[in-house]
Amino acid sequence: MSLYSEIFYSKEVNSLFSNHNHISKMLLVEAALAKAQAEEGIIPKEAATIIEQCCNVNYIDLEQLKNDVHLGGNAAIPLVKQLVRIVKNNDFEASKYVHFGATSQDIIDTATVLLIQEYLHWVQGKTHQLKSILLELTKSHRETLMMGRTLLQQAKPITFGLKTAGWLEALHRTDNRLEEAKMRVLSIQLGGAVGSGNKRITAEVKQTFANLLGLSDAFTWQAHRDNFSEWASVLSILSGTLGKIAKDISLLMQTEIGEVYEPAAPGRGGSSTMPHKRNPVICAVILANAMRTPNLTATMHSSMIQEHERSAGLWHAEWEVLTQLMALTAGTVEKSIELLSGLEVHPERMLHNLELTNGLIYAENVSLALAQKMGKIQAHELVEKACEIAIRDQKHLKQVLLDQSVDLADLDSYFDPKNSIGQSISFVDSIIATYENQL
Amino acid sequence: MSLYSEIFYSKEVNSLFSNHNHISKMLLVEAALAKAQAEEGIIPKEAATIIEQCCNVNYIDLEQLKNDVHLGGNAAIPLVKQLVRIVKNNDFEASKYVHFGATSQDIIDTATVLLIQEYLHWVQGKTHQLKSILLELTKSHRETLMMGRTLLQQAKPITFGLKTAGWLEALHRTDNRLEEAKMRVLSIQLGGAVGSGNKRITAEVKQTFANLLGLSDAFTWQAHRDNFSEWASVLSILSGTLGKIAKDISLLMQTEIGEVYEPAAPGRGGSSTMPHKRNPVICAVILANAMRTPNLTATMHSSMIQEHERSAGLWHAEWEVLTQLMALTAGTVEKSIELLSGLEVHPERMLHNLELTNGLIYAENVSLALAQKMGKIQAHELVEKACEIAIRDQKHLKQVLLDQSVDLADLDSYFDPKNSIGQSISFVDSIIATYENQL
Amino acid sequence: MSLYSEIFYSKEVNSLFSNHNHISKMLLVEAALAKAQAEEGIIPKEAATIIEQCCNVNYIDLEQLKNDVHLGGNAAIPLVKQLVRIVKNNDFEASKYVHFGATSQDIIDTATVLLIQEYLHWVQGKTHQLKSILLELTKSHRETLMMGRTLLQQAKPITFGLKTAGWLEALHRTDNRLEEAKMRVLSIQLGGAVGSGNKRITAEVKQTFANLLGLSDAFTWQAHRDNFSEWASVLSILSGTLGKIAKDISLLMQTEIGEVYEPAAPGRGGSSTMPHKRNPVICAVILANAMRTPNLTATMHSSMIQEHERSAGLWHAEWEVLTQLMALTAGTVEKSIELLSGLEVHPERMLHNLELTNGLIYAENVSLALAQKMGKIQAHELVEKACEIAIRDQKHLKQVLLDQSVDLADLDSYFDPKNSIGQSISFVDSIIATYENQL
Amino acid sequence: MSLYSEIFYSKEVNSLFSNHNHISKMLLVEAALAKAQAEEGIIPKEAATIIEQCCNVNYIDLEQLKNDVHLGGNAAIPLVKQLVRIVKNNDFEASKYVHFGATSQDIIDTATVLLIQEYLHWVQGKTHQLKSILLELTKSHRETLMMGRTLLQQAKPITFGLKTAGWLEALHRTDNRLEEAKMRVLSIQLGGAVGSGNKRITAEVKQTFANLLGLSDAFTWQAHRDNFSEWASVLSILSGTLGKIAKDISLLMQTEIGEVYEPAAPGRGGSSTMPHKRNPVICAVILANAMRTPNLTATMHSSMIQEHERSAGLWHAEWEVLTQLMALTAGTVEKSIELLSGLEVHPERMLHNLELTNGLIYAENVSLALAQKMGKIQAHELVEKACEIAIRDQKHLKQVLLDQSVDLADLDSYFDPKNSIGQSISFVDSIIATYENQL
């Protein structure tokens, strides 16, 4: 699968999910457990110190671990085996206190939470950056006229800033979701074999363990996976919003529209045999990822129906899926920064496209203006006929009306897109005002 | 599809999603729009009053509307048509101001939000009720001994209260999610044809419109569906947690386990030809619903990739899916109340099952105790052999140890489940303490 | 949900899935069972005759049945109860032989298969019709020149017939899949309580029962749902192919492209205030449905993991999902016939769009031709520069080359789309030849 | 993600999907193209020979390729670049004919088909092996008595052979599906830039190219992905059937049931601190995989809605998903062989469990027998009361009836499970007869 690692993913985040970092986090959990138990007087302080020193990923034989992983059915069992041996080599007594009273799932789940914590830090930095880029785009294009399109048809004019303001708002909402999910998901899992705790895993040990790891204490959630399902959902929503943006851009890049382009780079998206092509290659990647995240999220949700105190299969189903969801979303986020920070906007092409219907997009304006003079029904009929002529003869509607000597003093103004963008600019300005201080 | 409406759904919530109530909400939106425009001086107050009076679902020909719905491709177009006619019959002038400056999506989306508002009120009442039931169960069974099971195998004893406390905590987390999602999802959609507003839909009209409906004002989200995807996700997570509970109960009801039963009712779940059967029929329904919600959620997430200012298809994909997701979750919630409020618990069967392994579940206890006398390795070997004999001869492990004159003064105590439940009771008590004041 | 029944669904197929028809099919199964048992000498022939006469949906109180359905957790239990009462009123002795030796699932599953049989007949008629329409389109447009587009960019010319030939081929493959799935899915389920058969349900009874219903005999599949998952998959693939066609058409209908339009109908897809709009309302419905079918299919596949001899929940999860999948696909099929049979094709606009890049799409042609004269590298450089000038000055590439006195005798021919469509026509002709005889 | 490669996957199949093998297949396609074009007289035979010799994965710099892959957005572009350089180093003239007239997608799609071909060969070998194992199990256990269970409740006795016969039949149906899908999916994709062919890609070249690769010729399917969706569906159905088997086994392994066990291996599934545990670790993996395949299939189906002649994103979405689906299913298949070939069956425990309800499972037998003596209603009442006593007093039903001096000569026979298994043995025998000759 790695052939495409440079396409769909983020290098930085891929290394976060490397075996090396994954095992490091598991060892961090084992160390914190020993330390917490020492602080609460359950194991000797010296033992904890030795265990902590041994909890170093460089001492671990990762290849051996990968080979052994299928025996116990998870990664903690062979890891603890290696760790015990390492500690034993240093201090036989200390080795008795490795993984003391814990169960594999305690280590695996809490390590996953630590990976999420690291990822969250990364992703929040990136969404902040994306919001700044979008704010700049919005400020630059608050007045840039373009067509608004509904059901893939030209509808009425807007400004490009109105579009990007909508992108910004949507992204901001998910930024808030990340913050709220964070409160729940960054919690320890520590409960022993069946989640009941034991003499080695007391309420006090749990609290100290949580403090040491910078996580919240929590009632055991080994068979309750709502936090992970929520986390998956929020990432999938983030991917969805960025997918919507990429969809818009890929459509605006169509040869026949050509209003906005993703940044060009040598050798990317172009074609030596087809010099007119500007393939939306970044958009394609973002859209591809956005096709996959919803169904990975569904797997996380379906996997919530876990049996008793630990599931036979549904817990295991989460492992790769959650990682993949995070990795794909990271790729999407990184590509979106590339896409938006170098976005090419062609206001002149936008203006050109506003004229493609020969003024028909302004028919309602004229009709409303005439209605005040001649009554609604008469006005409507007159304009409807004029539209038919404009279409039939491929003439501009304004010309048709002039040909018919329609009496409207300020006829030109009804055909000026600036007068047809509604509250675009004031709506945009309120968004700018909101985010100017935050970002 | 209605053949099963009594099985999977809630009658109350089904009527909330009736055509009658759905159209009522759309009319409420039209009325609020007119009223807001009147308050802001955009249309005459008299016109607004008349429009408001006409916005009554009883004046609407629902059959006609259903027939016309495919023409415009949505329900707002034929509804507005009927509404204009009704208003016109009362006051020609007022009819000019119906749906003034709005687009179909404004009405449909805001009406959906009003349905969500009504549903949220219902569902939060029910989750509160569920939490109270679970708190009572937890209090009653804080000391009720039972097996904890992992990977479908007996592992170590817990109390039934520990299990229900976990159910309660998980449910409570989603209660918080509902509250957070509420802040976002209960927002108006009002933007006119392309979301830019217009002379009739100003910032002030939007704010007043929102106030009138008890919703938040919001930047147009017509092609940004993150709020609905979040809403779907939270419901799916709620279904997942209740599904996990039903899964546990259905497993505990197995003939061979028989520890907990869903409430019996005449004619339900039993079989006249198989008198020993107690089918988990309520659980089956909850589990069936929980199979469906994750993939409906995936459809909502996939549908986020909407084009430009309104999508050709993806918006439409949401309509039935979101309703179905809410309806199924409502069914799940209602059945869960029925399930949990009448739950039959059989503590004596739980005790009986604790003995099924002939004391093997306590082997570790004995081994740890002996270790202090004879060293860890010797103790381990002795107990391992005793276990082998117990299995081979189908004898109780305690008896095997007695036969071997193992010298442990308090041997009985190691075989008492009360001494093997770890921190179950203190963990449970902290949950009880937390919720006692809240519920 | 029924507010949108006219939008997403087929009236004909909705009535096929009515409670009335559904219950009819269940009664047909009960009748066939009695008849088969009589033929095999297991019950008296008179009893079978009376039972058969009573198996009439008009004797059933459907409202009562709907109300009772939740008690037993399925529709067969209350139906059999009513049927026994009806038979008893006619002949007490015969009533002993109703549903003799069968289990609810036998009736429900076999009735579902009968509904699938009826649906299959309908859908195969429709796909045949669709193939005929596509063949006609292909014949009419084998030479109609248009742009081929990749990654939403103009690429190289094709003919419209090449596009429709691809649609036809894809549809035909799924027609074959329907035929193959049919061989498996049209099988009886008859096994009694646990699928083992019994004295009343023998191998002979099963075979006769199958013959009477026009289905295949089959080993009990009550907890093996692969046939239904396959059936779901094939329908979802059919929806996917029709969705792809609708996607193409909706993109070709874009205001800026305007090459193909879905059929116009009064009041549909147009807008009185936006006379230039031709909303792809049929496409939107097909695309909406195609968003939903894949995830309904996933639910069917996920539901395969059924426990033992009958599942507690997963079987129930299938009921509405399979019906909905069939109903949505039927809507898609019916709308696709409407879409394709009235498709408006605008060859002149296609030609116009071929010129949008000012001849850049032919740059490779020129480059290849010049290469034979001046060498590949020189030719490539010359054309590349000419393209740059064409873009910069918004001039036609041919003019640029003429300005540079490029020496190519047949320069015009390189800019003629007819010469750039590769094997389009021969490929199309082979498709026409293949289907001409079949359809 | 690779930490779990030993858990969820097959080593053999993982190497099939290695970059090395993937690129080999792409080179095979390039070589076949050149050879076909030479055979059809389009390029010089010498050029084809040289190209073929250069199409060797060992000449490719895979790291460089992985780095360049994101530029063009796919793996073919950088591969062709390297290949051209390699050929050029051998023969400048020949290098002109590399990838002659083809497009990236031709190479990528056809290479994927070649991987599917190799995978199909592997998987069909494995399903054949699985069927043989299941046939042996069925033959060994055609008479092994056990409980049939519905809705997780004991229902009526069956034989274990009846259960395994059902597993065999379901697997066999998917074997047929593989064979049918094979006819379609093993087809070339060759069409050039927009699928129209060109002077270098003619009907004859396509046919020869197909012959050389052992694939079927096909009309271009570059934007029609029904074959891949079908292929995904069939694999997901295979995973579903194997998941159902693993579910049954994991349930039968429950401590409280203990009828069937997955094979034990040192260090696997056991626990030194919990000697009574036999974790279903193989089942857990199969079930985990079966949770993921349906939603990967949904992504494949959703990705069918591809735009025009090549999609911007949906094509890309397939790449990793299809591979992952195949890899997970391969893991499932391999683990299932391990699971079933070493399955431990405990007939004595099955017999023991048949007695758990104190004979209540035979109540209907007695009732039917008594009915012939005393009438149905009287018999039913008598037995119902006896059941109540049996439950209340925890007595065996037979004893209760004896206590009441119920007059049935052959009372014992009604409580003999052998007499309650219906047609189990004859049904099983017909399966054995069917497969005996095939396998």
Side-chain angles (χ1 to χ4, degrees), chain B residues 150 153-154 253 255 277, chain D residues 150 153-154 253-255 277:
Chain B
T150 56
Q153 297 284 304
Q154 288 200 356
M253 279 178 75
T255 312
K277 271 206 130 203
Chain D
T150 57
Q153 297 283 305
Q154 288 200 355
M253 279 179 75
Q254 287 174 101
T255 312
K277 271 205 131 204

Side-chain angles (χ1 to χ4, degrees), chain C residues 245-266:
Chain C
I245 296 174
K247 177 53 105 181
D248 280 1
I249 293 172
S250 69
L251 288 170
L252 294 172
M253 279 179 74
Q254 286 175 101
T255 312
E256 296 85 357
I257 295 186
E259 299 181 0
V260 163
Y261 286 94
E262 60 180 47

Side-chain angles (χ1 to χ4, degrees), chain B residues 227-259:
Chain B
N227 285 349
F228 280 2
S229 274
E230 177 188 16
W231 175 235
S233 303
V234 174
L235 293 182
S236 174
I237 291 171
L238 176 55
S239 295
T241 290
L242 297 173
K244 186 264 185 290
I245 296 174
K247 177 53 106 182
D248 279 1
I249 293 171
S250 68
L251 288 170
L252 293 172
M253 279 178 75
Q254 286 174 102
T255 312
E256 296 84 358
I257 297 188
E259 299 182 359

Side-chain angles (χ1 to χ4, degrees), chain D residues 402-416:
Chain D
L402 287 173
D403 293 352
Q404 300 187 343
S405 313
V406 164
D407 178 27
L408 264 179
D410 47 355
L411 189 61
D412 275 357
S413 77
Y414 299 109
F415 288 90
D416 185 340

Side-chain angles (χ1 to χ4, degrees), chain A residues 64-81 103-105 108 310-313 315-316 319, chain B residues 150-151, chain D residues 4 6-8 262 265-272 277-285 335 338:
Chain A
Q64 184 63 44
L65 196 153
K66 269 183 58 176
N67 281 333
D68 294 348
V69 99
H70 74 284
L71 286 174
N74 68 56
I77 291 173
L79 177 65
V80 169
K81 218 166 151 188
T103 194
S104 297
Q105 190 170 6
I108 291 170
R310 181 171 310 118
S311 172
W315 176 45
H316 311 74
W319 300 344
Chain B
T150 56
L151 285 100
Chain D
Y4 300 119
E6 300 290 320
I7 293 196
F8 300 117
E262 61 180 46
R268 187 177 61 198
S271 162
S272 64
K277 271 205 131 204
R278 274 290 286 281
N279 281 335
V281 287
I282 305 177
C283 292
V285 163
K335 306 286 171 193
E338 191 183 347

